[in-house]
Amino acid sequence: MPKNKEKEIERYKAMQAYRLELVRATNMFEHAALKPPFILNGGALVVVMALLGAIWKDHGQFAERSLLVYALACWVIGLFFAAIAAASGYQSQFSFLKSRHRELDAEHAKDKGDKNEVRRNLSDKKIEGERGENWRVWAKVCAGLSLLLFLAGVTIGVTALLKSILPVTE
């Protein structure tokens, strides 16, 4: 085998390994980025319910029920957006995987000399890549909304708890 051909094969193998590692790194990053909205909103719900139980036991009442309902609603809706973000992230990765498969199919068709198949696969690769990017944007938007709802819920929840715990001064 000529040296040029060997270099070409090694370069191709290196490029494929690089692409695979890039997909893995992106996948791990997206998984890590989607965990906090679930943990924060779910944790806030659990903590506030525990605090509410303690306050109810000590005081027999909770002065700011309406505010607390708004805080709980923020966290529940935040969990909903976190779930949508996770589903969108999954769809994004699936579309990128399909895009990668179309690229490999195009290379295989090129080896066979089927120009129409190459064109069709490259067109499908582009469509799937764009679809993956769109899903990724949805995942980011939903994760951001989930985090904003967590912060809104914390603000409202802390206000409600402080108004219930602290004595009213008039």
Side-chain angles (χ1 to χ4, degrees):
M1 185 179 289
K3 277 196 170 191
N4 259 357
K5 195 68 170 170
E6 287 178 17
K7 279 186 177 180
E8 214 173 289
I9 290 172
E10 289 305 314
R11 191 174 297 126
Y12 178 78
K13 285 180 181 178
M15 181 56 79
Q16 296 308 320
Y18 167 75
R19 287 179 178 166
L20 180 62
E21 195 56 39
L22 188 60
V23 167
R24 284 182 185 154
T26 302
N27 194 3
M28 287 181 359
F29 176 78
E30 286 182 355
H31 280 276
L34 291 175
K35 283 182 185 177
F38 280 106
I39 293 169
L40 291 172
N41 284 296
L45 281 169
V46 170
V47 167
V48 166
M49 293 305 230
L51 281 172
L52 180 60
I55 291 170
W56 200 276
K57 187 175 80 174
D58 290 345
H59 298 285
Q61 63 178 352
F62 191 80
E64 295 297 326
R65 279 187 226 138
S66 61
L67 279 178
L68 186 64
V69 168
Y70 290 132
L72 293 172
C74 284
W75 294 319
V76 168
I77 295 169
L79 280 172
F80 174 74
F81 276 113
I84 292 174
S88 298
Y90 169 78
Q91 287 288 49
S92 169
Q93 289 302 312
F94 185 68
S95 292
F96 288 135
L97 179 65
K98 285 171 51 175
S99 174
R100 178 72 181 120
H101 283 291
R102 295 296 76 83
E103 182 180 7
L104 293 173
D105 290 345
E107 289 175 12
H108 186 67
K110 186 177 179 183
D111 292 342
K112 287 183 180 179
D114 189 346
K115 291 181 182 180
N116 288 333
E117 188 71 13
V118 170
R119 239 180 275 121
R120 186 182 65 78
N121 280 312
L122 290 177
S123 173
D124 289 350
K125 172 194 179 287
K126 182 180 178 188
I127 290 168
E128 289 300 331
E130 289 170 355
R131 189 173 291 149
E133 281 300 323
N134 291 339
W135 281 113
R136 181 177 280 163
V137 167
W138 272 108
K140 289 177 183 178
V141 167
C142 289
L145 285 172
S146 178
L147 293 172
L148 285 174
L149 284 162
F150 165 75
L151 293 174
V154 166
T155 303
I156 296 167
V158 167
T159 302
L161 289 171
L162 289 176
K163 285 186 173 184
S164 291
I165 294 172
L166 299 177
V168 178
T169 55
E170 290 182 29

